[in-house]
Amino acid sequence: MSKTNKRVLFINPTKKRRTETDRVHLGFCLLGSILSDAGHETRVLDLSFLQHVTDAAIIKDAQWHVQDFRPDVIGISVFSFLHRETVVLLRELETIWNGTVLLGGPHFAVFPEDFREFPNVDYVVRGEAENVILDILQPNTLTSNPTYIDAKPTNPDRIPRADLSVVYGNQHMTVFQIQLSRGCNYQCSFCSVHRVAGRQIRSRRIEECLEEIIAARSEFPAISNIVITDDCPGYDSLRLKQFLRLMAQSCQGVRLYIDNMRADIVDEELLELYVAAGGENICLGAESGHPEVFKKVHKGESLEKIRAAAGLVKKHNLLLGLCFIIGLPGDTPERHYHSVRFARSLEPDYCYWNMVVPWPGTAVYKWYEENGTVEDQRNFTTLVNDRAQFDSPICDSREFPKRELIRAWLIANMETHDLLVNPIALPKIMYLSIKYRILGSFLAYCIRLLRSPSKFMAFINRGIQIRWGKIRSILQGVSNK
Ligand code: SF4
């Protein structure tokens, strides 16, 4: 390696037992590809992904990687819900290492001035870093500390292929993520995607995407799950259908998932192609089942469309997921229970009930500024773990105070979301049911569970999986000593 070539360590922090995932940070793999092509050496340390890996032998902390890899540059991906963990990591790095620190990630789309007070941060990239990463590695780019760089959206023809070889622990990857396009031209009231990826759709060539998937599978045969993570994958349903057709023809034996599906593009042909391409589930963003609340979301589709799409998903024997948000503008406890009834009427296989997060720059944020209270969005996550650990809401209104939001969340989960209630979480759910005076819902849930042998077995299996995962990692830790 020549002197001008750099060693770059990318780190994705994690929240212990909250942000575990089987997906590796896609953005880092794309940057890794650009850096490798230019002769730099890259390592991606995704601590959220490594939480998912049960091989204790490869679990090393950031400090170990700094000593082992000896980077010239460390890039950290900042998600707002991992703000605290990023701060801790920066403080730790300050004491052990003295190279160039670069921050980027979706956090800066909503908090563009953050991290000014950290003397060891050299660069903050706002926007997509692909266009600027090589310039940053040039000597003497720095003008102030930190230097904020506003990166332009990447031209779709210049979005590189993900380089998985740079991922630490890549032998444990079973999932490959890919974006066929970036950006979304809808204007849902709660969504901040336009600040991250823009409203203009940037489409990649689907043949190129398919080649990338095939190449990734041939290099890493353990990959058996392909996830399309576009902001709005169905903006052009003909194009999506063509992609599915090609997937079915040339990429057999995989499970395919598409994030962020809209109901208005779901039709018979799309689902037939999706099943043929390995699709197993569809999760529809319903947001609210109450007509007045739904209308204010400005989703650009209707509840009737969502109902019809849900019916088609079930007709094609796909698992049906639904995604709702509690506490949207105009929501009240009564309207929320209407939403729960709507959800149940669609007979979903699983449901996500997310607490509303008013992101700066969204209509929901403006509404809460005028009609309620908003606390700091940093460090809040809607993710819930197997122990039913969840964050308290960060906003409320006179119509939907915090205590009611939590009650609403608990009831909705017990009514529709069997995954949350497992033997490990059960004592906590019972305690919360007493605290929030919804013991009736808890008992109704238990009765439903006991009456359905398949649900009961799933409940027990989930408990065994959680306990076995823990025991296995302890045993591996002991045998590796
Ligand atoms: S369609 Fe999805 S990505 Fe687009 S604005 Fe709505 S929620 Fe955001």
Side-chain angles (χ1 to χ4, degrees), residues 184-188 190-194 199 231-232 260 262 287 299:
C184 177
N185 51 13
Y186 288 96
Q187 305 196 18
C188 302
F190 59 88
C191 182
S192 60
V193 157
H194 63 284
R199 292 214 193 277
D231 302 305
C232 188
N260 309 322
R262 287 176 58 90
E287 325 313 351
K299 228 175 137 56

Side-chain angles (χ1 to χ4, degrees), residues 168-236:
Y168 176 79
N170 55 16
Q171 68 273 31
H172 296 281
M173 285 184 313
T174 55
V175 176
F176 181 68
Q177 298 180 87
I178 187 163
Q179 284 191 306
L180 314 181
S181 69
R182 289 182 185 171
C184 177
N185 51 13
Y186 288 96
Q187 305 196 18
C188 302
S189 62
F190 59 88
C191 182
S192 60
V193 157
H194 63 284
R195 292 181 77 141
V196 180
R199 292 214 193 277
Q200 198 184 345
I201 306 272
R202 288 166 287 146
S203 310
R204 297 179 65 197
R205 258 186 357 101
I206 49 178
E207 293 77 9
E208 157 72 18
C209 297
L210 203 69
E211 281 168 22
E212 185 180 338
I213 293 170
I214 293 168
R217 287 198 71 217
S218 109
E219 196 181 349
F220 294 91
I223 289 176
S224 54
N225 303 286
I226 308 297
V227 187
I228 312 299
T229 61
D230 293 22
D231 302 305
C232 188
Y235 77 92
D236 177 348

Side-chain angles (χ1 to χ4, degrees), residues 222-280:
I223 289 176
S224 54
N225 303 286
I226 308 297
V227 187
I228 312 299
T229 61
D230 293 22
D231 302 305
C232 188
Y235 77 92
D236 177 348
S237 72
L238 289 180
R239 179 174 175 275
L240 182 59
K241 285 175 183 172
Q242 178 58 7
F243 170 77
L244 294 174
R245 217 169 268 123
L246 293 175
M247 266 296 281
Q249 283 163 10
S250 49
C251 196
Q252 302 283 319
V254 293
R255 278 186 293 273
L256 179 68
Y257 303 88
I258 304 181
D259 289 351
N260 309 322
M261 278 285 269
R262 287 176 58 90
D264 54 1
I265 63 142
V266 172
D267 61 25
E268 297 270 6
E269 187 188 18
L270 183 104
L271 294 182
E272 274 163 25
L273 291 167
Y274 183 54
V275 170
E280 291 193 348

Side-chain angles (χ1 to χ4, degrees), residues 45 69 85 115 123 151 181 206 218 248 300 332 348 410 451 476 479:
L45 172 62
F69 187 64
E85 288 70 19
F115 290 92
Y123 298 98
S181 69
I206 49 178
S218 109
T332 63
L410 283 164
R451 276 194 183 152
Q476 277 178 342
S479 70

